[in-house]
Amino acid sequence: MEKWKCSICGYIHDEQENGLFKELPDEYVCPLCKAEKSAFVLVGETVIKKETNTNILLKEFYEFTNLEKSILCSNLARGCQKQYLEREASLFTQLANYFHSNKENAISNDFVNLVSLNKFDIDSLIPTIEAVSTKHNDRGALRALAWNQKVSMISYQIMENYKKDKTLENQRIHVCTICGFIYIGDSLPELCPICKVPNYKFEEIKGGL
Amino acid sequence: MSKSYAVRNIALCTKDCLCLYVCPTGAADTENSIIDMEKCIGCGACANACPSRAISLVPREFPPQQRHDDEVLLAMNTLLSSKANQENIASTIDSKLAKAIEKSNRIMAEDIIREAGYMLPQSANTRTFLESQVDNPDIKEIVTELMSLIQPNEKVVTKEIWTCSICGYIHTGEMSPDFTCPLCKQPASAFTKS
């Protein structure tokens, strides 16, 4: 009897209780985060990290775009809310809205580009930045990157499924407001599978259809 | 002025009101449930008495955020830029899933920018950002009010920006006389400060 672990959220499939892992259908997904069967690893087995190209060009100098200024300000608004600074939070939200209304045109309006950018993050960009952060022993950055990598991987899987089956949109969609994890379906996990926050911090996405 | 003051998380408050019983200054007794930080002396009696753990003490002055290496900061900004691009593309697509992806990318980007030196509204980085926006007439009032409300918790150091007049390479920080451009090997004299 073996144990299999979801590499995204850490859920354990114990063959003693849940049956043989290999006999599960190909469509099996993790009951907590809905990662695909291929995301599971055998407990106790050393996982060999996929070779990644960590030589991609990173920026040497940075100037924020208006959309990034909006992100900066909505983040600072949250920072003020955490300190219960209501007035300051509302002012930063106004700034975030101002920059958002002046944001640059999107580089594309194509779903396929969205998926390939996300895939690039997963395969190249995040591993590169992980290497840089490991070199500098930067745990804070590594924590943020770990969440980003997992959320991006789940999003990639959801977008790939959506390409095949558009009815996915008819289901309820929630986003974790702490890490960005997207959950499709009715039975929300009690804790966010990625950042472990209670599910009352999830926000339901309305509209669309 | 006390070093810290009490705050109430309204989402957790079950209105047992023991804070009112124990507060020696009446700071907890307000009509909008926000503890009066002017009256609060930071004694912590309310936080100890609260059965729903809705009250905690926060410092009046936060320590500066831990430093990240410049290389890490630039790398993080590269990812910020990618997530911002994805948020932007998703915003052009009319579907519920695209809305979720737009939101998800915003949350990831906020997390990245927090780690890239913008965790605290009181930080020198935030201050520098606000100062750089004060000349924009559309938002001058908002920015000025924020700068008067928020006291920086660390010294604001303005970084020098030098551009190579030959190849356009940008160097941040001080310019020493023996500096040469890493791209085109021009001497320090080829650089202009902006």
Side-chain angles (χ1 to χ4, degrees):
Chain A
M1 286 292 160
E2 290 165 338
K3 284 181 182 171
W4 290 76
K5 182 178 168 184
C6 171
S7 61
I8 304 286
C9 73
Y11 168 81
I12 301 280
H13 175 101
D14 187 342
E15 293 190 334
Q16 198 112 36
E17 289 167 34
N18 313 106
L20 289 178
F21 185 76
K22 293 211 161 73
E23 286 175 8
L24 291 170
D26 289 344
E27 312 81 71
Y28 174 81
V29 292
C30 170
L32 289 185
C33 70
K34 303 206 171 179
E36 280 167 356
K37 198 179 167 187
S38 60
F40 277 77
V41 291
L42 186 59
V43 174
E45 200 174 65
T46 13
V47 186
I48 300 156
K49 264 212 162 174
K50 213 171 54 178
E51 199 68 30
T52 45
N53 169 19
T54 51
N55 293 318
I56 57 162
L57 194 66
L58 298 172
K59 289 181 195 290
E60 302 236 354
F61 173 73
Y62 211 78
E63 202 167 347
F64 292 132
T65 64
N66 278 339
L67 181 57
E68 288 158 6
K69 286 177 191 165
S70 171
I71 292 165
L72 171 56
C73 290
S74 63
N75 157 58
L76 291 170
R78 278 174 180 247
C80 291
Q81 274 159 11
K82 284 178 190 169
Q83 296 176 33
Y84 302 83
L85 303 172
E86 300 298 327
R87 177 69 188 154
E88 291 86 337
S90 126
L91 291 168
F92 272 120
T93 302
Q94 287 175 44
L95 285 184
N97 294 340
Y98 168 78
F99 288 119
H100 191 263
S101 63
N102 287 290
K103 73 180 166 76
E104 298 72 17
N105 287 330
I107 52 172
S108 153
N109 53 11
D110 187 353
F111 191 75
V112 177
N113 284 128
L114 188 57
V115 184
S116 57
L117 268 182
N118 183 38
K119 185 80 177 132
F120 176 75
D121 287 353
I122 295 168
D123 291 343
S124 306
L125 190 50
I126 296 176
T128 305
I129 305 171
E130 256 178 3
V132 173
S133 307
T134 307
K135 187 175 92 188
H136 292 286
N137 201 12
D138 192 325
R139 276 176 64 180
L142 287 169
R143 192 276 311 150
L145 290 166
W147 287 7
N148 253 266
Q149 177 75 329
K150 289 174 173 187
V151 172
S152 301
M153 283 163 84
I154 292 287
S155 297
Y156 176 74
Q157 187 189 308
I158 290 173
M159 289 192 280
E160 282 294 302
N161 290 340
Y162 176 74
K163 278 195 209 158
K164 291 172 236 152
D165 177 13
K166 306 271 186 224
T167 62
L168 184 146
E169 283 234 314
N170 300 333
Q171 298 184 51
R172 293 178 69 187
I173 304 181
H174 285 83
V175 176
C176 170
T177 59
I178 304 301
C179 70
F181 168 72
I182 300 178
Y183 186 84
I184 297 183
D186 287 328
S187 48
L188 285 182
E190 252 174 64
L191 301 179
C192 171
I194 310 295
C195 71
K196 318 295 178 200
V197 77
N199 68 16
Y200 67 79
K201 294 265 189 179
F202 282 32
E203 187 180 308
E204 180 159 13
I205 305 296
K206 300 277 187 186
L209 297 181
Chain B
M1 192 72 93
S2 59
K3 276 196 167 150
S4 56
Y5 63 101
V7 291
R8 179 192 282 127
N9 182 336
I10 297 166
L12 294 175
C13 175
T14 47
K15 298 282 182 286
D16 299 288
C17 298
L18 287 176
C19 54
L20 306 189
Y21 294 8
V22 298
C23 176
T25 66
D29 199 358
T30 61
E31 64 282 4
N32 59 4
S33 291
I34 298 169
I35 297 173
D36 186 339
M37 69 180 276
E38 302 300 321
K39 279 190 184 172
C40 178
I41 54 166
C43 69
C46 54
N48 288 333
C50 177
S52 56
R53 301 230 167 270
I55 300 179
S56 51
L57 293 174
V58 294
R60 288 186 196 268
E61 258 180 62
F62 285 85
Q65 183 179 358
Q66 297 88 320
R67 306 280 318 160
H68 296 271
D69 190 273
D70 280 350
E71 201 187 356
V72 176
L73 296 183
L74 287 167
M76 295 293 265
N77 280 339
T78 313
L79 184 57
L80 165 71
S81 157
S82 179
K83 293 303 176 199
N85 274 331
Q86 289 168 66
E87 176 191 322
N88 213 351
I89 298 174
S91 75
T92 67
I93 303 170
D94 187 24
S95 82
K96 191 164 88 169
L97 179 63
K99 264 191 188 174
I101 289 167
E102 184 185 356
K103 175 101 194 161
S104 167
N105 276 296
R106 166 64 63 124
I107 293 163
M108 283 191 278
E110 284 178 350
D111 192 11
I112 292 295
I113 210 166
R114 243 188 320 276
E115 284 299 336
Y118 290 92
M119 191 174 295
L120 283 173
Q122 291 87 350
S123 67
N125 283 350
T126 302
R127 192 66 177 196
T128 308
F129 169 72
L130 288 173
E131 279 170 0
S132 73
Q133 302 302 315
V134 78
D135 291 334
N136 181 341
D138 293 345
I139 49 174
K140 192 179 175 39
E141 267 180 45
I142 304 174
V143 172
T144 314
E145 189 180 344
L146 277 170
M147 294 203 320
S148 71
L149 287 172
I150 299 174
Q151 299 312 313
N153 64 348
E154 56 190 333
K155 220 177 128 207
V156 179
V157 193
T158 6
K159 264 199 183 164
E160 294 176 10
I161 297 167
W162 294 85
T163 312
C164 175
S165 56
I166 307 299
C167 72
Y169 175 81
I170 290 168
H171 169 78
T172 52
E174 277 172 39
M175 178 61 63
S176 61
D178 58 342
F179 187 84
T180 51
C181 177
L183 286 188
C184 68
K185 313 294 173 208
Q186 290 295 313
S189 58
F191 279 78
T192 48
K193 195 174 165 185
S194 53

